[in-house]
Amino acid sequence: MTSKLVKELQKQKQKKDSLQRTVVILCDESTTDDGCGITGGLLKDLKAVIGSNVASGGGGGSCGILVVNFNWLFDCVTCGELLGANDYEPKIPIAKSLWELGTKK
């Protein structure tokens, strides 16, 4: 399901679709990649979307993909708005690499 949404984001960017979608990869406090759910195919798709947006001058959240730790969800609900990813670094190594790509850290 998530991979399908990521592919839709790629198409949206290519077509310059005005409809904005955001996929949030919400991570727990795990410090290992085991069981995180980001598989090789999904990782490739996520890197492609995030990387193409960063290359075109966009930032982490503007590509439609946010990779964040679980505190992000609580803070979004508390603030009543969609927050960026910069202050929500995940601990899972594979997710952290995506977060760094999207936030330019």
Side-chain angles (χ1 to χ4, degrees):
M1 176 78 159
T2 305
S3 189
K4 181 179 177 183
L5 290 171
V6 171
K7 289 178 193 271
E8 285 181 21
L9 286 172
Q10 288 173 316
K11 290 178 186 175
Q12 170 187 330
K13 183 165 178 59
Q14 292 168 354
K15 293 180 182 178
K16 305 219 186 276
D17 189 351
S18 63
L19 179 62
Q20 293 292 343
R21 294 182 183 100
T22 301
V23 174
V24 178
I25 308 296
L26 193 62
C27 303
D28 62 14
E29 287 293 304
S30 176
T31 57
T32 65
D33 291 332
D34 296 338
C36 79
I38 302 175
T39 61
L42 179 58
L43 178 62
K44 180 182 172 187
D45 291 342
L46 290 168
K47 281 184 176 180
V49 173
I50 295 170
S52 69
N53 191 66
V54 169
S56 66
S62 62
C63 64
I65 297 176
L66 296 174
V67 182
V68 294
N69 70 40
F70 68 93
N71 292 319
W72 173 90
L73 181 60
F74 177 79
D75 291 349
C76 286
V77 171
T78 301
C79 295
E81 64 180 283
L82 185 68
L83 300 173
N86 289 345
D87 296 324
Y88 301 95
E89 178 180 349
K91 293 183 179 181
I92 300 169
I94 200 166
K96 185 175 178 177
S97 70
L98 292 169
W99 175 84
E100 288 171 341
L101 180 62
T103 59
K104 298 183 184 180
K105 298 252 177 182

